[in-house]
Amino acid sequence: MYVRRLELVDIRSYASVGVDLQPGANILVGPNGVGKTNLVEALGYVATLASHRVSNDAPLVRSGAATGVIRCAIVHDHRELMVELEIVPGKANRARLGRSPVRRARDILGALRLVLFAPEDLSLVRGDPAERRRYLDDLLIQRQPRFAGVRADYERVLKQRNALLRTAYLSRKVAKAAGDLSTLDVWDHHLADYGAELLQGRLALVAALAPHLAKSYDAVAEGKGSAHLTYKGTVAEPTREALLAALAEARKSEVERGVTLVGPHRDDLAFGLGELPVKGYASHGESWSFALALRLAAYDLLRADGIEPILVLDDVFAELDTGRRERLAGLVGDAAQVLVTCAVGADVPPSLGGSWYSVRPGEVLRDER
């Protein structure tokens, strides 16, 4: 799989831009602030319907524009598919596969498989649990797009259940009256249904990912530590019954606090190097290597599924020493397509080769090298 062409209209800094990409390595070079990351962010959005930089869609649309459009031509098994996304801040986005509109934007998920590594990924190791849950769920959906619906259903039910708990909490605190919780059992059952399915998917993913993580960290760090990960759940087993039991046990506390306290939305991933946890013990270099290994493990896992994803390295080589640069170039050199952004071309090892592009304000030009 590779992206043959990317077009943006009113996305971030671009009023209109188009770039023809090549199989193999594509190196996008330009000073900071000219829009290199905007290009790969757009591709990441097509793959996951989310940005790796912001939590909502509005910043993706160019200032002053009402909507933004991302188009990309994807080649897989010698067939080309055009995917188009229209981003409408505050409203449902619209999408097309080929020339046909789809009912929901999430119906395009799976058309483009992509793994993106950026400096922000250090938050996977050092940040909040939400970052690690998102990493898991995005990868789960790329492997099995049906989980986009499962996650959406779970989040919808969670929102309704929290609203009910919050209303009851405020009634008790402000009006000194007992809130109406007569429908809480109904929401418990819905939450348990979707939550158990999401948990089962996550746990199967963690088991499949673990050997790839160990291998990737070993390659990046030259054998300096054994990397592993563990799923930290709020229920003992990934079953509907276990989730219902946990909700029943937590009900008193939930009513007192006005929020749902158990379920996949409260879970976390624990990372380790040898016998020590990464968080709090790993050095900056070890944390950076671990974050990179997480993305490379995701890439290898998707690759093992039979459809090789596109790999994006956004401003990564500048953060690595010479040895790690060369090792990373060697690890990704045989990928079907790699997109690399950098401010200085010399940061990219010559062994990576590939096609080079100059990124300037509002335009992207192919370099003949």
Side-chain angles (χ1 to χ4, degrees):
M1 175 181 288
Y2 68 94
V3 173
R4 183 188 62 78
R5 183 169 174 82
L6 172 66
E7 297 177 358
L8 307 181
V9 179
D10 289 327
I11 294 293
R12 290 287 193 179
S13 58
Y14 293 103
S16 179
V17 70
V19 54
D20 291 314
L21 299 168
Q22 308 298 318
N26 295 259
I27 296 92
L28 308 171
V29 184
N32 293 331
V34 296
K36 302 184 300 296
T37 295
N38 298 344
L39 296 166
V40 296
E41 178 188 31
L43 285 176
Y45 192 90
V46 172
T48 65
L49 294 182
S51 164
H52 70 288
R53 302 161 75 191
V54 292
S55 59
N56 63 81
D57 294 347
L60 275 70
V61 177
R62 190 171 64 94
S63 179
T67 64
V69 176
I70 305 171
R71 296 187 191 94
C72 60
I74 303 163
V75 178
H76 176 58
D77 284 344
H78 307 291
R79 297 181 180 179
E80 183 168 298
L81 175 67
M82 178 66 74
V83 179
E84 180 178 308
L85 264 174
E86 183 180 6
I87 301 173
V88 188
K91 298 182 180 179
N93 295 337
R94 294 185 283 267
R96 288 176 175 270
L97 281 175
R99 297 182 181 275
S100 303
V102 295
R103 188 164 63 91
R104 301 164 302 193
R106 74 174 189 235
D107 291 339
I108 72 165
L109 292 172
L112 175 63
R113 291 192 179 192
L114 178 144
V115 174
L116 189 154
F117 180 67
E120 290 88 348
D121 280 335
L122 195 59
S123 63
L124 286 175
V125 176
R126 295 183 170 179
D128 295 332
E131 299 287 342
R132 293 179 283 279
R133 290 194 296 268
R134 176 179 167 181
Y135 164 81
L136 268 186
D137 289 346
D138 284 350
L139 180 54
L140 179 61
I141 290 167
Q142 287 218 63
R143 293 188 82 203
Q144 302 176 69
R146 72 175 184 84
F147 275 100
V150 176
R151 182 173 66 173
D153 287 337
Y154 180 82
E155 291 175 348
R156 173 181 54 81
V157 170
L158 177 64
K159 183 178 180 180
Q160 294 288 345
R161 191 176 188 274
N162 279 340
L164 179 61
L165 288 169
R166 183 64 177 171
T167 299
Y169 170 83
L170 291 175
S171 294
R172 191 173 63 255
K173 290 293 184 180
V174 178
K176 306 301 181 183
D180 181 9
L181 293 173
S182 59
T183 61
L184 191 56
D185 283 340
V186 175
W187 291 116
D188 283 2
H189 283 80
H190 288 317
L191 196 77
D193 288 338
Y194 298 126
E197 190 172 1
L198 184 57
L199 279 173
Q200 290 161 16
R202 285 182 180 178
L203 287 170
L205 175 60
V206 168
L209 188 65
H212 293 286
L213 174 64
K215 179 183 175 182
S216 294
Y217 188 84
D218 184 68
V220 170
E222 282 194 310
K224 297 176 182 177
S226 174
H228 51 90
L229 74 169
T230 305
Y231 190 83
K232 296 291 190 180
T234 51
V235 297
E237 297 178 352
T239 64
R240 180 179 185 273
E241 293 71 23
L243 195 45
L244 281 171
L247 288 167
E249 184 177 350
R251 177 168 291 196
K252 182 179 178 181
S253 296
E254 290 182 336
V255 170
E256 290 175 351
R257 296 173 61 177
V259 67
T260 303
L261 297 175
V262 297
H265 66 289
R266 305 282 292 195
D267 295 352
D268 197 3
L269 273 179
F271 300 139
L273 280 175
E275 297 181 356
L276 293 175
V278 171
K279 196 169 185 179
Y281 287 88
S283 67
H284 178 78
E286 288 171 331
S287 296
W288 182 261
S289 294
F290 203 100
L292 176 57
L294 282 168
R295 293 300 185 191
L296 292 176
Y299 173 77
D300 285 341
L301 180 58
L302 290 172
R303 203 178 191 183
D305 287 343
I307 300 178
E308 185 165 351
I310 293 156
L311 182 63
V312 176
L313 303 173
D314 183 25
D315 200 22
V316 169
F317 283 100
E319 299 285 341
L320 302 176
D321 58 37
T322 301
R324 282 187 171 89
R325 288 178 186 175
E326 291 292 348
R327 288 195 294 277
L328 179 56
L331 288 171
V332 305
D334 66 341
Q337 188 175 51
V338 183
L339 278 74
V340 176
T341 71
C342 60
V344 179
D347 289 341
V348 181
S351 59
L352 194 59
S355 305
W356 290 70
Y357 301 81
S358 293
V359 183
R360 304 170 185 174
E363 63 179 357
V364 182
L365 303 174
R366 175 81 181 270
D367 284 352
E368 297 299 333
R369 298 196 181 196

